[in-house]
Amino acid sequence: MASASASAVFLGFAPRFQNGTELLLLLQKKVTSFLLLSLGLSSILLLLTWGASSNTFMFTPKQALSDSAPSPGYPKITDDLTPTITYGEAVLPSGNLIADNSTATVSSQVPNNNSSPIIEPCDMSTGKWVRETREPIYSNLTCPFIPENKNCQQHGKSPGYLYWRWKPDGCDLPWFEPNRFLSVVRGKTFAFVGDSLARNHFDSLVCLLSQAEVPTNGDRNPYKRFLKVHFPSSNFTVMMIWTEFYVLGMPRTNASTSFDIHLDKINTAWTSRLPSLDYLVISGGNWLYRKNYLYESNKLIGCVYCRGENLTEYSLPYVIRRVVRKALESIQSCQNCDKLLTFLRSHTTSHFEKGSWFNGGFCNRTEPLNESELDFDAIEWEIRKIQKEEIERIKQFDGIGDTNRNKRYKWLDVTKAMMIRADGHPGKYYNKEYSRSAYDCLHWCLPGPVDMWNEMLMLNLINTSSLD
């Protein structure tokens, strides 16, 4: 009885029972419960240990994506080919799964855009260019639509400029995915409106998308002012609509490079097409870097770059602000443009050294510039600032009627990234029949740094379509 009492004290209760049989029965129940509890804990510990060694029960977020079935809308992640991009809580694959040192291939997967997650905002405008070993998504051999004056590889330019990639501060910019882009814009119509740099942007997108599907009506003639390309499988149409100034501009004479620019009259050659569009990218400004004459209400009010004439000389930033504002207000006032999404692409600089187009200017750089070489007091940076102010202004515009309120505006800021890429121009490596013997230090080789503009564009479209 003393032994039973001691055991009872050890198990945590006092020996207050009327006979020994009752106490022994209770002790038996307690011991059985204790043994079952110990067995259960041991089993759990064993399972956890086995799970850790086999990755069956314990996942990191990346393993959960790569070891399970692929998330809807994304190809399966493979650690050796594709890094992950983290935006807040989201972990997404980037790139088109092209292995290092391989040629570009096209993924056969067409993502289901309806299930694509929203990518958290990230400032893509600041960053640096880093070395890249992957081949570009397309080449002059795989895209038949590169204009002769942008086909730098065909004309002997060293390919070193191709192996750099824009790395934004704090995040990564996903590689362009042709199939995914076509999925996002299925059944839509897209237009680039502007000058020859808008054409540069257009040609880049057509080449990128042609790696998934060869479009109809492709054209490499660099002089065409209007182009319309269609991708049948996704019923996607993309257009290039030429305008030098957004507003009405007329050459003064056939031999002159000057224009009469009507600041208060929009060029309806592009605005008349707005009702048929779902997406629009506007850009421009380069045709204002010359002597031009300014009109309001059909009256000559002054000029730009016209020192010495008996006229009021206006600054280039003033004229830029007027034409950008007029363009955005014309879009905002369109009454049949419900849910039109407009991108304003920021201004990009030329990289002429020791001159300009036809007076000995050249661009022989073989690597991107260092940031210490950039001039943030240059006129191009001021133009960017004006564009940004105007896009923010139109976002606050209190339109009349539901149609106006449904319009959306996005800022595609590529200025700093392109200020660095003095090595990415055709220079002397193009067909000279298009521009005598001058170096071209304004436009961009295809493929080349300009393709980054469409990576930014794709990311914005994915974000926007996820919100629709």
Side-chain angles (χ1 to χ4, degrees):
M1 186 66 182
S3 176
S5 298
S7 299
V9 172
F10 172 76
L11 292 174
F13 53 86
R16 297 176 181 176
F17 300 93
Q18 296 179 359
N19 56 67
T21 302
E22 181 179 353
L23 176 58
L24 288 173
L25 288 174
L26 184 58
L27 282 172
Q28 186 178 11
K29 291 180 181 180
K30 290 291 184 179
V31 169
T32 302
S33 299
F34 177 76
L35 291 174
L36 290 173
L37 177 61
S38 299
L39 180 61
L41 290 173
S42 299
S43 300
I44 292 172
L45 181 60
L46 179 63
L47 289 173
L48 288 174
T49 303
W50 178 68
S53 63
S54 65
N55 291 327
T56 303
F57 293 96
M58 299 181 69
F59 290 100
T60 63
K62 186 175 181 180
Q63 289 170 327
L65 284 176
S66 61
D67 293 344
S68 61
S71 300
Y74 295 99
K76 185 176 178 179
I77 298 175
T78 51
D79 291 343
D80 59 332
L81 297 182
T82 308
T84 57
I85 309 165
T86 304
Y87 300 87
E89 296 299 318
V91 181
L92 306 180
S94 69
N96 58 349
L97 304 184
I98 301 175
D100 291 350
N101 303 318
S102 70
T103 56
T105 57
V106 180
S107 169
S108 62
Q109 288 185 273
V110 178
N112 176 5
N113 180 60
N114 294 331
S115 60
S116 299
I118 298 173
I119 300 174
E120 295 298 325
C122 174
D123 184 4
M124 296 286 168
S125 66
T126 61
K128 61 184 178 181
W129 291 90
V130 298
R131 294 279 187 180
E132 176 56 63
T133 58
R134 299 184 189 186
E135 296 290 332
I137 292 176
Y138 67 94
S139 72
N140 62 317
L141 300 178
T142 64
C143 177
F145 309 111
I146 301 176
E148 285 292 320
N149 58 347
K150 311 297 186 305
N151 198 341
C152 306
Q153 287 295 287
Q154 179 175 308
H155 294 281
K157 186 176 175 74
S158 175
Y161 70 95
L162 296 172
Y163 299 100
W164 295 89
R165 180 158 184 79
W166 180 244
K167 173 67 172 68
D169 294 335
C171 60
D172 289 323
L173 179 62
W175 279 72
F176 191 90
E177 297 179 68
N179 281 295
R180 187 174 186 189
F181 189 101
L182 289 171
S183 176
V184 171
V185 297
R186 182 176 298 277
K188 305 293 186 181
T189 301
F190 203 116
F192 293 89
V193 169
D195 53 26
S196 54
L197 282 166
R199 172 67 190 272
N200 218 167
H201 196 174
F202 166 89
D203 288 329
S204 167
L205 182 62
V206 171
C207 277
L208 288 164
L209 295 179
S210 71
Q211 305 309 290
E213 178 184 4
V214 178
T216 60
N217 304 319
D219 198 315
R220 61 194 300 178
N221 184 337
Y223 293 125
K224 282 199 172 181
R225 297 297 181 94
F226 177 79
L227 292 138
K228 186 176 182 179
V229 173
H230 185 65
F231 293 85
S233 68
S234 58
N235 190 27
F236 171 61
T237 300
V238 58
M239 296 187 288
M240 168 63 208
I241 307 171
W242 179 276
T243 176
E244 296 93 344
F245 313 108
Y246 305 133
V247 296
L248 185 63
M250 297 176 290
R252 291 182 73 84
T253 66
N254 290 336
S256 174
T257 60
S258 297
F259 284 75
D260 291 330
I261 300 174
H262 294 260
L263 297 175
D264 56 346
K265 292 183 179 180
I266 200 69
N267 183 350
T268 58
W270 68 272
T271 56
S272 62
R273 298 182 182 273
L274 291 178
S276 67
L277 302 179
D278 300 288
Y279 304 108
L280 171 67
V281 178
I282 63 171
S283 59
N286 294 287
W287 284 72
L288 291 168
Y289 284 87
R290 63 182 70 197
K291 182 188 290 186
N292 286 313
Y293 297 85
L294 309 176
Y295 288 77
E296 277 192 296
S297 301
N298 293 321
K299 295 181 180 180
L300 181 64
I301 63 168
C303 53
V304 61
Y305 290 120
C306 58
R307 188 165 298 175
E309 297 198 22
N310 189 25
L311 289 169
T312 302
E313 184 176 7
Y314 289 87
S315 69
L316 177 61
Y318 169 81
V319 180
I320 291 283
R321 189 180 296 277
R322 287 290 306 272
V323 299
V324 171
R325 180 171 295 187
K326 185 66 176 177
L328 292 173
E329 289 180 347
S330 297
I331 295 167
Q332 183 66 22
S333 64
C334 179
Q335 294 301 311
N336 298 305
C337 302
D338 190 28
K339 295 185 179 179
L340 174 64
L341 174 58
T342 299
F343 294 88
L344 173 58
R345 180 185 57 75
S346 66
H347 194 64
T348 59
T349 185
S350 64
H351 289 96
F352 289 100
E353 298 183 51
K354 309 296 184 182
S356 187
W357 276 99
F358 302 115
N359 61 0
F362 62 87
C363 44
N364 290 332
R365 302 293 184 118
T366 58
E367 289 191 356
L369 300 177
N370 295 318
E371 188 162 338
S372 61
E373 299 178 82
L374 304 184
D375 180 7
F376 291 105
D377 293 323
I379 188 69
E380 292 86 1
W381 199 252
E382 185 175 357
I383 291 172
R384 171 198 172 274
K385 177 175 177 288
I386 290 168
Q387 291 175 313
K388 187 175 183 181
E389 290 171 352
E390 291 303 311
I391 197 74
E392 292 301 323
R393 174 183 176 271
I394 203 67
K395 286 179 180 179
Q396 305 302 319
F397 190 89
D398 186 16
I400 300 173
D402 291 338
T403 298
N404 287 342
R405 293 194 183 99
N406 284 338
K407 295 189 182 71
R408 297 167 293 174
Y409 301 90
K410 293 281 187 178
W411 172 234
L412 207 61
D413 189 358
V414 300
T415 301
K416 181 182 177 182
M418 305 312 286
M419 288 176 75
I420 300 172
R421 292 309 305 272
D423 60 323
H425 301 288
K428 65 179 180 180
Y429 300 102
Y430 66 98
N431 190 330
K432 296 300 188 298
E433 72 175 272
Y434 293 104
S435 193
R436 293 183 283 177
S437 60
Y439 276 67
D440 182 354
C441 306
L442 173 65
H443 303 98
W444 304 96
C445 295
L446 294 171
V450 66
D451 297 320
M452 180 270 287
W453 302 0
N454 284 311
E455 290 176 333
M456 284 190 176
L457 183 62
M458 185 184 77
L459 193 59
N460 273 280
L461 289 174
I462 291 170
N463 281 339
T464 304
S465 63
S466 298
L467 295 172
D468 288 344

